Amino acid sequence: MRSLDGNNPADIQIAAACLRNGGIGAFPTETVYGLGADALNERAVAKVFAAKERPLADPLIVHIVSRAQLAELAAEIPAAAEALIQRFWPGPLTLVVRATPRVPGIITAGLPTVAIRWPAHPLAQELIRRAGTPIAAPSANRFGRISPTTAGHVREQFSNEIDFVLDGGACQVGVESTILSLAHTPPAILRQGGVPQEQLEQAVGTLANQSHAASERPLAPGGFARHYAPRTKLELADPQQWSGDERTAGVLCFSQPPQRPYAAVEVLAPDGDLCTAAAGLYAAMHRLDALKLSRIVAEPLPEHGLGRAINDRLRRAAAAE
Ligand code: TXA
Ligand code: MG
């Protein structure tokens, strides 16, 4: 794997050429790092599944930077989609719409729909523009493990299974995009994420919430019950009340550290801001996971705004294997 520098135009060009020629590589978005491939090249997309050890039943999000690319992939743009696009794109919102025949079956896992996102990160945009093709990109982690928010996280999980990692620093949002299906009536949230449900509902009215549904073959397969998981066992509990031995355990908490001698403590947001918590969530999980603790005790966050997406990730990380 080549380490490329997002501040260096020549390196961006190398990454874009690699993707155009059927290679795969990691790049930053505002949410998490993605593992990209030319979405219209089935062999390249297959390499992404292989590198991640991801089941082929779990479809990918396609990243675009133009209306022309949207028209190439989406068979129709419902009126609600238009309102959402105006307000939230580019940004951490993925829309599921009916797919055109152009979209390879490996992208959609055979579904009649495709998930599309226009990312806000300037480096992601530059890369996709230079590659000259829509880019399919799941998060750049092994299947089921913690998502990467730095190039270092990507290098910890991959070596030569991928061609490059383009370093653009830490991701600002820190949790994946919200996935909204417009193929459902009413539109349904399939995954809580970077755009809070409340903001979407302001724009298009009440939404169905299917993000808690978890099954063997979920609607949004990020719906796998166990996901985003550290190797260390993680429990959701109030760290102040937790009944285990705190001297061998670590804590992931919202804004206040517990008054107990835990082996390690990560306070996600000393300022009490859920955006700060989301931005630091995965990095804190990566750090705790590296300490070989007996347990990670994670405190549930307030269930509103980005707190919903964070709690969803914590619940899935805690789900039994
Ligand atoms: O923020 C993000 O969305 C990041 C960055 C890289 O853009 N990407 C990401 O991809 O989180 P991934 O593969 O980790 O999650 C994509 C989710 C999967 O759970 C998948 O099941 C769902 O999107 N998905 C993709 N296509 C779908 C479709 N046609 N219908 C329903 N869900 C779909
Ligand atoms: Mg993922």
Side-chain angles (χ1 to χ4, degrees):
M1 165 179 40
R2 271 185 89 165
S3 283
L4 300 173
D5 176 2
N7 291 316
N8 180 347
D11 276 13
I12 301 173
Q13 193 53 43
I14 291 168
C18 177
L19 293 177
R20 203 165 46 237
N21 293 322
I24 65 172
F27 64 97
T29 79
E30 71 277 26
T31 58
V32 300
Y33 274 69
L35 179 56
D38 176 352
L40 304 177
N41 177 338
E42 285 157 300
R43 264 184 59 80
V45 174
K47 285 195 244 172
V48 169
F49 280 92
K52 278 189 63 109
E53 301 168 66
R54 177 179 175 116
L56 285 164
D58 195 359
L60 302 184
I61 296 173
V62 182
H63 298 69
I64 60 167
V65 287
S66 70
R67 285 278 184 168
Q69 288 177 331
L70 178 62
E72 190 178 8
L73 304 170
E76 63 178 354
I77 313 292
E82 193 53 50
L84 293 163
I85 290 168
Q86 293 287 339
R87 172 129 180 231
F88 297 105
W89 275 6
L93 175 67
T94 295
L95 297 175
V96 174
V97 293
R98 285 206 307 119
T100 63
R102 268 298 263 163
V103 183
I106 190 168
I107 295 281
T108 63
L111 296 171
T113 54
V114 59
I116 305 177
R117 171 161 119 75
W118 188 324
H121 198 297
L123 196 49
Q125 293 181 353
E126 174 90 14
L127 181 67
I128 299 166
R129 205 174 298 118
R130 288 194 192 208
T133 178
I135 298 294
S139 49
N141 52 278
R142 302 254 178 199
F143 183 69
R145 306 235 74 94
I146 310 171
S147 303
T149 55
T150 65
H153 294 157
V154 176
R155 283 190 288 264
E156 282 164 21
Q157 298 204 31
F158 292 105
S159 51
N160 285 333
E161 314 87 324
I162 73 175
D163 296 307
F164 67 84
V165 56
L166 181 62
D167 192 340
C171 303
Q172 296 214 320
V173 176
V175 290
E176 290 82 350
S177 60
T178 304
I179 302 180
L180 182 68
S181 172
L182 297 160
H184 289 69
T185 318
I189 295 189
L190 303 185
R191 178 177 71 184
Q192 298 282 351
V195 177
Q197 180 171 344
E198 294 89 334
Q199 285 186 25
L200 294 175
E201 291 187 328
Q202 272 174 17
V204 290
T206 305
L207 299 171
N209 186 349
Q210 307 205 345
S211 61
H212 295 309
S215 67
E216 289 300 302
R217 196 180 188 291
L219 266 173
F224 286 99
R226 183 173 166 80
H227 215 82
Y228 309 106
R231 289 170 199 279
T232 315
K233 214 167 162 7
L234 183 145
E235 269 180 62
L236 267 174
D238 177 350
Q240 201 57 44
Q241 309 287 333
W242 184 63
S243 59
D245 177 6
E246 72 269 31
R247 288 160 307 176
T248 63
V251 160
L252 188 65
C253 61
F254 179 36
S255 57
Q256 295 284 332
Q259 306 291 309
R260 288 174 71 182
Y262 278 95
V265 175
E266 292 281 350
V267 180
L268 287 174
D271 60 0
D273 185 336
L274 289 165
C275 296
T276 311
L281 174 69
Y282 290 137
M285 284 171 71
H286 280 284
R287 282 193 297 272
L288 287 173
D289 202 22
L291 298 177
K292 308 254 184 312
L293 300 158
S294 64
R295 280 287 189 287
I296 297 170
V297 180
E299 175 187 34
L301 270 64
E303 184 71 23
H304 59 81
L306 288 182
R308 292 179 200 261
I310 298 170
N311 287 337
D312 168 73
R313 306 304 186 270
L314 294 176
R315 279 191 292 270
R316 291 182 201 283
E321 269 181 273

